Amino acid sequence: MSKSFERYQKRKLISSYFSVVLSIGLVLFLLGILGLLVLNTKKMGDHFKEQISISVFLKDSAKPVEVDQLQKSLALAEYTRSATYVSKEEAAEQHSEEIGENFIEFLGYNPLKNSIDVKLKADFVSSEQIEEIASNLAAKGYVEEVSYDQPLITLLNENVKRISFWILVASAIFTFIAVLLINSSIRLSIYSKRFIIKTMQMVGATKKFIRRPFIYTNIKLGMLGAFLALLALGGTLYYVNDQFPELNLIDDPLVLGFLFVGVFLLGVLISVLSTFFATQRFLNLRTDDLYY
């Protein structure tokens, strides 16, 4: 009978520990994902901004030396990520592929212009800066027109700011929820031992002596949950980086190291604080209150 009861108690204890570890792991994994989003919001915004390009259309009378000089000066400009010369023949070929027919045969001539496609660095993708760059380029005598998508730039900048703000808000909310969930899981596991806590106290054990084994146990559970969360986070990060290598999510190992260490320490810290306050609560209760 006693052995059966011991096995039952052991299974119950293991089940309690498993639920605590699983809760900590899942919550920390979600926090890690949010941390990745926060750290990479600017990087992802910059990636989309750097897809914006300015097309500098050249006059047919532009001399090759002028075109070559303009392309080199644009390539060396502080705002340029890349500057690519596109001849009217290449532009016509690309356009024909897009529409599925040779429009030159229909028109009898090529109406397109030689151009230089300039992709900008993310820090310079704003309506004011692009307008200034376009004005300077349009002032050159051999430039026919400077074209860019003004509404798209405005919309992109507004959306990047809006998304960054809401990611920060969501991170704050989920951090608060994470603390509550982990705290609740640990309090439930300690609740089942409230009579043991009170018994130890009644026979003369100090509060520090009673708290110590609970804190040590939950530190281990917090570390195990954090380790599982980091494994899942690492797998997710590897998969996303493999599918979207242009985001360069693992190019900054120092930042990722801080994130992983932060998630691990957060799991341990919440476990310690939750255990301390949970045990303190039951230590301060009267014996009669333990039944409610």
Side-chain angles (χ1 to χ4, degrees), residues 94-107:
Q94 293 174 6
H95 190 61
S96 296
E97 290 178 358
E98 290 175 0
I99 64 175
E101 61 179 328
N102 191 337
F103 68 96
I104 295 179
E105 293 181 357
F106 177 76
L107 296 175

Side-chain angles (χ1 to χ4, degrees), residues 28-226:
L28 291 179
F29 171 69
L30 290 176
L31 281 181
I33 293 294
L34 283 172
L36 281 175
L37 287 175
V38 170
L39 293 175
N40 290 283
T41 296
K42 185 179 185 302
K43 185 182 291 186
M44 289 187 288
D46 289 350
H47 169 72
F48 290 112
K49 285 182 179 180
E50 289 180 350
Q51 306 309 307
I52 299 292
S53 64
I54 297 176
S55 295
V56 182
F57 294 102
L58 306 168
K59 293 180 179 179
D60 291 334
S61 59
K63 299 177 182 177
V65 65
E66 292 175 329
V67 175
D68 185 60
Q69 185 179 10
L70 177 61
Q71 183 180 6
K72 288 180 179 178
S73 65
L74 285 172
L76 296 174
E78 62 175 350
Y79 53 78
T80 303
R81 191 170 68 90
S82 65
T84 306
Y85 175 76
V86 181
S87 67
K88 58 167 52 179
E89 290 78 16
E90 291 174 337
E93 185 177 342
Q94 293 174 6
H95 190 61
S96 296
E97 290 178 358
E98 290 175 0
I99 64 175
E101 61 179 328
N102 191 337
F103 68 96
I104 295 179
E105 293 181 357
F106 177 76
L107 296 175
Y109 70 100
N110 185 355
L112 303 179
K113 300 287 184 180
N114 297 322
S115 65
I116 299 176
D117 288 340
V118 182
K119 288 195 173 182
L120 305 175
K121 293 179 181 177
D123 292 339
F124 294 89
V125 180
S126 67
S127 300
E128 297 77 13
Q129 289 176 303
I130 292 181
E131 184 177 354
E132 182 181 353
I133 293 169
S135 298
N136 292 335
L137 292 172
K140 300 182 183 297
Y142 48 86
V143 173
E144 178 79 22
E145 180 188 3
V146 179
S147 175
Y148 62 94
D149 195 336
Q150 174 66 37
L152 177 61
I153 294 168
T154 302
L155 184 63
L156 178 61
N157 281 300
E158 289 178 353
N159 285 338
V160 167
K161 291 179 182 178
R162 190 178 296 116
I163 291 171
S164 300
F165 171 75
W166 285 111
I167 285 178
L168 288 175
V169 171
S171 298
I173 293 173
F174 272 95
T175 300
F176 178 71
I177 294 173
V179 173
L180 291 181
L181 288 174
I182 294 175
N183 180 65
S184 297
S185 297
I186 291 176
R187 283 186 64 181
L188 283 173
S189 68
I190 294 176
Y191 176 80
S192 62
K193 303 178 182 67
R194 65 194 184 280
F195 292 109
I196 297 175
I197 292 174
K198 185 56 66 175
T199 301
M200 293 174 68
Q201 189 178 21
M202 291 175 67
V203 297
T206 63
K207 291 183 178 181
K208 183 178 179 181
F209 179 83
I210 296 171
R211 278 196 300 262
R212 189 184 299 128
F214 290 100
I215 290 177
Y216 286 164
T217 298
N218 284 301
I219 284 177
K220 294 175 184 177
L221 296 179
M223 292 173 65
L224 181 57

